[in-house]
Structures are given as C-alpha cells and as structure tokens.
Amino acid sequence: MRQYWWKILCIVLLLYTFTAGFLVKVPEIGNLYQTIRNLFFHVPMWFAQLVLITISLVYSIMYLRNPQAKYDLYALQFVQTGTVLGCLGLVTGMIWANYTWGTPWNNDPKQLGVAIALLIYLAYFVLRNSMTDLDKRGRVAAVYNIFAYFIYIPMILILPRLVESLHPGGKGVEGNPGLNGGDLDPTMRLVFWPAVLGWTLLGVWITTLYLRMKALEEKKHAH
Amino acid sequence: MAGNQSKHIWALVKKDFLLEVRQQYTFYGILLYVASTIFVLYMAMGEGPEEKVWNGLFWMIQLFICINAVAKSFLQESRGRMLYFYTIAGARDFVLAKLIFNLVLMMLMSLVSLLLFQLFLGNPVHNPLKFIGIVCLGGCSLSLVFTFLAAIAARAQQNAALMAIMGFPLIIPQILLLMRISNAAFADVIQAGLTSIVLMLIGLDIMVVALAVILFPFLWKD
C-alpha cells in the first residue's frame, strides 16, 4: 500500500477528471462554449510537463554532484515523458485554438513557449545520442539540461510581455504565464487542480515504468 | 588570490589574441564570411528593404556570424593543451577568458556587419548612436550564450550544426529583446519601458555568465 497509494490516487483523480470534466456545469465565456472543458486536459498537460522537466533538472544536478548512472537515466526519462506530454498539450491546444481563434497556430506566447521547450529538449536527445562514452554523455547532457532550464524559465516569463497573447489575461499578464486564475469559475477550479495533480502523477508513473523496463533490460544484458 | 586569478584570465585572453594575430587566416576567414553573407543578402534582396525586414535580417545574420566566430574557440584546443591549461589556470579562469575573448571578437564583427549593412542595404536607422550601443550589447549577449554552447559541442566532438540546434531555441529571449529595443532606434519617438528591457537583457547576460562559471568545471573534468 505504501508503494502504490499514489498510483491509485492518480487513477481516481483522472477518472474524476474525465467524468466531472465532461459533466460539470461550465460558465459561458465568449465564443468558448463547451470547448472550455479542454481546460481540464490541455492546461494540466502543460503543467505536468513543467513539473517533469523540473524533476529532470533535480536529477541532473544530483548527477553532477554524485555521478551515478541511475541519476542520468532518471533525468533522461523524465525529460522524455515531459516531452510527450508537451506534444500532447500542444496538439490539444492547437485543436482548441482552431475552433476558438480560427487557426491552429496563432503566434501566441504560450504556444511559442511549448514549441521552444520541444526544440530545446529534442536538441537534448540529439546531444545525448551524439556521444557514446557513458560517463561523458551523462555529464555533458546534465550540463546542457541545467543550462537550458535556467534560460527556459526566464523565457516563458519574458515572452508574454513581448508578444501579443490571445490567452486569458492577454498581453503583459504579470507573473503567471500559464493561467489567469481570475477567469476560473470555482466549480471549474474544483476539477482543474485535481486534474493537474492527476496528469502529473500519470507522467511520473509512466516514467517509473520506463525506468523499471530499462533496469530489466540491463539485467538481461548483464547475464 | 583574486589578483592571481585576474592575471591568469588576462594571460589566457592575451594568448587567444596572439593566436588570432599570428594565425590570421581565422580572423580574416570570419571577416570574409561576414562580408560575403551580407553581399549575398544584398544580391538577393536588392537595395533598401523595409525597416522591419532590415532589423530581422540584421539580427539573423548576427546569429550566423556568431556561430561561425565562436564555434572554433574550443575546438582549436587539443586535448593535451586543455590538460595543460587546466593544471596551470583552472577551469573557471579558462572559461572566463574564453567568454571575454569571444565577446570582444563578436562585438567587433557586429560593428563590421553593421557598417556593411549600412553600405549595401541602406540606412533606416534614425538614431545611429543608440543603435551602435544596441549592436554592441547584442553582440555580447549572443557571444556569451554561444561560447558556452561551443564548449558543450566541443565536448561532444560535434560541429557547428549541433551548436545551432542547441543554440537557436535558447537564444530566442535575447533575440526578441534585441529586436524590441532596436525598434527604438528606427523611430524618433521615445518608447516607454526601454530601460527595463535593456536591464532585462543585461540580467540575462549576467545569468549566462554565472551559469557558465558554475557549470564549466563539470564539463571539462576528466
């Protein structure tokens, strides 16, 4: 029970997201109509991506302080899952944008933010694959991961001030680049935050499965 | 200790300058790269593109020049020589020296390319002094980020292509801020919030230097 309580929590939260997310009464804002329900799927994926790349950053720092192969593997797998969630967040956002803003791509700062994150982390994979020496690969990849993260975070804070946005809050929204909390109805908030937690836990779960699979593969090769 | 360190950095910077003076082909190589890129651009564009296009082209060309000017800075050092520098000066001094050298080099190249842009592609700049300042600042910002990425790419034994794919997404905040402040030099009206953007850019530069100093020792430990 100690081991997998959070997996049960994840399933419960996502079931709740999928049922309440489709059934709860939503406010009518502008031309959003029922598409506002996408908020429970699109935005939390984004949040989960940020959480996962932050976990990856922590493992990269741990790797530099104490170079153990497993930390490097953790960092890689968390980025991988984060990138998948980022892609999903981008696609769900583009479908939503197609119906509410008219075109899938609107040069919106948050769209740009996800696109840049994808480019940064795809470059991370290319960089890793260009090296064969395990120790060197771990170190160089960790250094790039840390460097990229600390440029990426200021970037998503700066971008909304420079580019016009269609997201709630619009241009120059202070501080919070992902979401304007004021627009959230209290009932929606009751679904939204559990959804964020649920999607994040799902990301972590997928990552741990991958890690166990990798460990088994290594065991097989060791024999 | 601090005096000793600055002496080390100065010696390393001087070494890079001396190398540049002695093996002139690299310096003239970059200079020729600048000239021919802008000339090709002129042939393709014809004279006098619009202000916005001029501005965008200018900073894109700066990006490519920066990659070419900075890429070789770590690749030219052989493994044995790296070990030698590492033992006599330490990794931090070494990376600071490289940052300073590339900063000066890139600033020079930026000014040369500004001159050539004025010559070939017309002069939409209303406020030349301000724009020269912006160009210097831009050259600094670009060179700092790409110097560190050159160190990573050199460690991975890769060429400039890897630097480009790593660097282009990371340089976006600087490029956007630079485009924004250089628009100020195209208009006579004074734009609000200009100082805060300049400060933001300088803050980013300081952060990049700090990250480079902290992370570089890990990169070169063998």
Side-chain angles (χ1 to χ4, degrees):
Chain A
M1 195 64 194
R2 212 164 27 116
Q3 296 275 320
Y4 52 77
W5 62 269
W6 59 273
K7 291 176 186 167
I8 296 171
L9 181 67
C10 168
I11 294 172
V12 171
L13 286 176
L14 284 180
L15 280 176
Y16 172 67
T17 307
F18 275 92
T19 45
F22 284 118
L23 296 177
V24 83
K25 195 172 164 352
V26 290
E28 292 217 346
I29 306 170
N31 65 347
L32 288 178
Y33 305 115
Q34 295 296 317
T35 67
I36 200 168
R37 295 182 195 279
N38 196 6
L39 186 86
F40 306 130
F41 304 95
H42 157 65
V43 184
M45 285 172 185
W46 226 111
F47 275 48
Q49 182 205 15
L50 271 183
V51 172
L52 291 182
I53 61 175
T54 309
I55 297 173
S56 166
L57 169 85
V58 172
Y59 278 113
S60 280
I61 293 172
M62 276 163 75
Y63 182 81
L64 286 186
R65 293 178 67 88
N66 177 18
Q68 286 184 23
K70 68 171 184 196
Y71 292 151
D72 182 40
L73 195 63
Y74 282 21
L76 171 68
Q77 292 300 335
F78 275 108
V79 165
Q80 227 167 51
T81 321
T83 307
V84 172
L85 280 170
C87 284
L88 288 175
L90 192 65
V91 171
T92 48
M94 275 162 75
I95 296 170
W96 195 4
N98 195 23
Y99 287 104
T100 52
W101 298 339
T103 49
W105 196 264
N106 300 77
N107 201 30
D108 185 89
K110 279 132 202 165
Q111 275 184 331
L112 295 176
V114 193
I116 294 166
L118 289 181
L119 287 178
I120 288 176
Y121 288 104
L122 290 176
Y124 173 78
F125 299 136
V126 173
L127 176 69
R128 284 188 69 94
N129 288 333
S130 71
M131 285 171 283
T132 45
D133 182 82
L134 282 181
D135 178 51
K136 194 167 86 177
R137 179 166 79 186
R139 219 154 356 96
V140 174
V143 166
Y144 174 75
N145 195 9
I146 297 168
F147 188 68
Y149 185 87
F150 282 107
I151 292 188
Y152 180 63
I153 295 302
M155 176 165 9
I156 53 175
L157 296 176
I158 290 172
L159 265 176
R161 286 147 214 253
L162 293 180
V163 188
E164 304 271 350
S165 177
L166 292 162
H167 272 88
K171 190 186 174 190
V173 51
E174 296 293 320
N176 188 344
L179 180 82
N180 185 11
D183 271 15
L184 261 187
D185 192 60
T187 46
M188 285 188 72
R189 210 169 300 175
L190 274 182
V191 184
F192 178 73
W193 289 110
V196 169
L197 192 60
W199 287 111
T200 309
L201 286 177
L202 183 70
V204 176
W205 191 359
I206 292 171
T207 315
T208 51
L209 285 179
Y210 260 106
L211 285 169
R212 279 161 65 186
M213 209 167 79
K214 281 270 158 70
L216 283 178
E217 260 171 31
E218 236 155 71
K219 221 181 209 169
K220 201 175 85 185
H221 287 308
H223 279 296
Chain B
M1 189 61 205
N4 207 2
Q5 207 174 12
S6 59
K7 221 160 71 188
H8 281 156
I9 296 170
W10 171 237
L12 285 168
V13 173
K14 213 167 81 181
K15 177 224 67 161
D16 272 336
F17 274 111
L18 274 176
L19 265 180
E20 211 62 71
V21 173
R22 302 247 166 94
Q23 319 175 322
Q24 286 176 343
Y25 71 96
T26 49
F27 180 76
Y28 288 121
I30 302 164
L31 214 56
L32 191 60
Y33 181 86
V34 173
S36 47
T37 318
I38 296 172
F39 188 68
V40 168
L41 195 64
Y42 163 68
M43 297 304 283
M45 295 288 299
E47 207 182 332
E50 275 176 52
E51 283 177 12
K52 237 184 159 171
V53 178
W54 196 97
N55 197 12
L57 283 174
F58 182 77
W59 289 110
M60 276 320 283
I61 295 287
Q62 295 309 302
L63 260 186
F64 283 96
I65 291 169
C66 191
I67 286 183
N68 277 281
V70 167
K72 63 163 187 48
S73 63
F74 287 89
L75 291 171
Q76 72 179 7
E77 312 283 5
S78 68
R79 212 182 137 77
R81 214 158 8 139
M82 285 307 311
L83 200 63
Y84 175 62
F85 291 137
Y86 193 74
T87 49
I88 60 165
R92 288 205 172 129
D93 297 351
F94 183 73
V95 75
L96 278 172
K98 284 286 184 200
L99 287 172
I100 293 169
F101 172 74
N102 282 331
L103 196 140
V104 174
L105 182 71
M106 187 57 207
M107 220 145 62
L108 195 69
M109 290 301 157
S110 291
L111 290 175
V112 169
S113 56
L114 176 62
L115 195 76
L116 289 171
F117 251 75
Q118 302 270 353
L119 196 67
F120 286 122
L121 293 160
N123 180 20
V125 181
H126 290 298
N127 202 336
L129 265 182
K130 207 184 245 172
F131 197 69
I132 289 174
I134 296 167
V135 167
C136 288
L137 187 63
C140 294
S141 309
L142 296 183
S143 74
L144 292 177
V145 173
F146 278 104
T147 304
F148 191 68
L149 290 175
I152 293 180
R155 203 71 181 106
Q157 270 138 15
Q158 289 298 312
N159 48 9
L162 187 70
M163 248 177 87
I165 58 168
M166 289 194 298
F168 284 170
L170 292 179
I171 203 73
I172 289 171
Q174 269 99 331
I175 283 286
L176 278 180
L177 290 172
L178 282 169
M179 298 279 282
R180 180 53 61 97
I181 48 175
S182 48
N183 276 336
F186 291 113
D188 290 321
V189 288
I190 297 163
Q191 286 188 337
L194 195 65
T195 12
S196 75
I197 295 183
V198 172
L199 285 178
M200 228 191 279
L201 199 58
I202 293 172
L204 269 176
D205 288 352
I206 292 171
M207 195 189 66
V208 170
V209 173
L211 281 173
V213 169
I214 293 168
L215 293 173
F216 189 76
F218 293 106
L219 207 56
W220 287 91
K221 209 157 56 182
D222 240 345

